[in-house]
Amino acid sequence: MRVDIVTIFPSFFDVLDISLLGKARAQGLFDLHVHDLRDATHDRHRTVDDTPYGGGAGMVMKPEPWGETLDAILDEAAAAEGGGDPPLIVFPSPAGEVFTQATARRFAREPHIVFGCGRYEGIDQRVFDWAAERARVELVSLGDYVLNGGEVAVMAMIEAFGRLVPGVVGNPESLVEESHEQGLLEYPSYTKPARWRDREVPPVLLSGHHAKVAEWRREQQLERTRRVRPDLYDAWLAEHGEG
Ligand code: 6GU
């Protein structure tokens, strides 16, 4: 899978050299390209923003550097992918649809995603409108709060979908058992020692009785989800019923 990131803070993504994804990159499973938006400016100050038409607080990202950078990425992709689908372009934005595990699964199946990280009050609307004529464009939000820019959001999305790309995480079963994969939060986990600071591991986990362990874990998932995330619990019940 190929990922391009456009940002005014390229070094922010240096951390992707380490961790699980760093290994996947080294193995060629995850082809990451980070682009400095300021490389597509042509003035002495490398200006990427300007005051908003109509007035108001804050600055807006100018369209020209975005157009030039995205043109280069899309032209190269069209040449390399030879008539195939254009990449998916994702703009992180608090005005977008909320990113969930379902979004992560969908992104993990894309052969090529381009992330455009906005800063300031946003990007000139015409960039989105123009990009949507050349490729599929999505605005995606992490949730109902405001970040200063899209970089942290893109990092979170890459952490979420990158580990779903086949071959990146060692044990595929570990993916199925996690929070959100089945619409429920995960069950609590324990390891040795069996007694620690006067606290015992739940005895069923030491019983060796696989069916009882599975039943206990499912009960824990349901109880925890009902208590912490009633919204998820109701959605799960609607799909699976009381049984
Ligand atoms: Cl994706 N971007 C920004 N700037 N703020 C956010 C967000 C994204 N998601 C939640 N808040």
Side-chain angles (χ1 to χ4, degrees):
M1 159 173 214
R2 172 163 174 156
V3 169
D4 288 81
I5 302 173
V6 183
T7 173
I8 58 170
F9 295 119
S11 60
F12 189 95
F13 296 95
D14 288 353
V15 292
L16 289 175
D17 290 339
I18 53 179
S19 82
L20 270 180
L21 279 173
K23 213 169 132 200
R25 287 184 73 185
Q27 293 170 343
L29 293 168
F30 193 74
D31 184 20
L32 179 71
H33 299 255
V34 181
H35 308 262
D36 188 343
L37 184 70
R38 290 191 201 277
D39 288 347
T41 59
H42 304 285
D43 63 311
R44 211 154 49 86
H45 301 290
R46 315 231 293 162
T47 310
V48 292
D49 62 328
D50 207 335
T51 53
Y53 276 122
M59 300 289 270
V60 176
M61 294 190 104
K62 298 161 59 61
E64 302 96 319
W66 281 104
E68 191 176 317
T69 306
L70 292 173
D71 273 343
I73 294 169
L74 294 177
D75 288 349
E76 193 199 319
E81 288 152 27
D85 286 341
L88 173 64
I89 306 181
V90 176
F91 292 101
S93 164
E97 287 184 23
V98 175
F99 183 87
T100 66
Q101 191 67 21
T103 322
R105 283 192 290 265
R106 189 160 57 79
F107 283 8
R109 291 196 305 267
E110 290 283 343
H112 187 180
I113 304 182
V114 180
F115 289 102
C117 299
R119 282 262 151 184
Y120 312 106
E121 300 305 305
I123 303 172
D124 188 303
Q125 177 63 33
R126 292 168 294 182
V127 173
F128 307 117
D129 301 341
W130 162 82
E133 288 173 13
R134 272 200 76 174
R136 289 167 296 142
V137 171
E138 294 186 27
L139 269 60
V140 180
S141 168
L142 283 196
D144 294 338
Y145 45 84
V146 178
L147 307 171
N148 269 330
E151 283 79 6
V152 166
V154 166
M155 194 68 86
M157 290 185 230
I158 289 176
E159 281 269 334
F161 75 75
R163 52 196 293 289
L164 304 180
V165 174
V168 172
V169 167
N171 175 9
E173 257 189 39
S174 73
L175 297 175
V176 177
E177 302 245 314
E178 282 164 349
S179 288
H180 298 296
E181 266 307 328
Q182 300 156 320
L184 295 172
L185 303 184
E186 67 191 342
Y187 52 77
S189 299
Y190 299 85
T191 186
K192 292 177 272 300
R195 183 182 184 82
W196 178 74
R197 298 191 178 178
D198 286 340
R199 289 155 193 269
E200 310 271 0
V201 169
V204 63
L205 298 180
L206 309 177
S207 69
H209 195 305
H210 295 304
K212 285 206 172 123
V213 168
E215 186 188 344
W216 180 85
R217 285 178 168 166
R218 175 46 57 116
E219 282 166 11
Q220 292 289 312
Q221 282 192 287
L222 288 168
E223 196 284 318
R224 192 182 246 190
T225 307
R226 185 181 55 74
R227 180 165 41 86
V228 180
R229 292 292 304 275
D231 56 325
L232 292 183
Y233 185 74
D234 289 346
W236 187 89
L237 267 194
E239 198 173 323
H240 297 86
E242 303 289 334

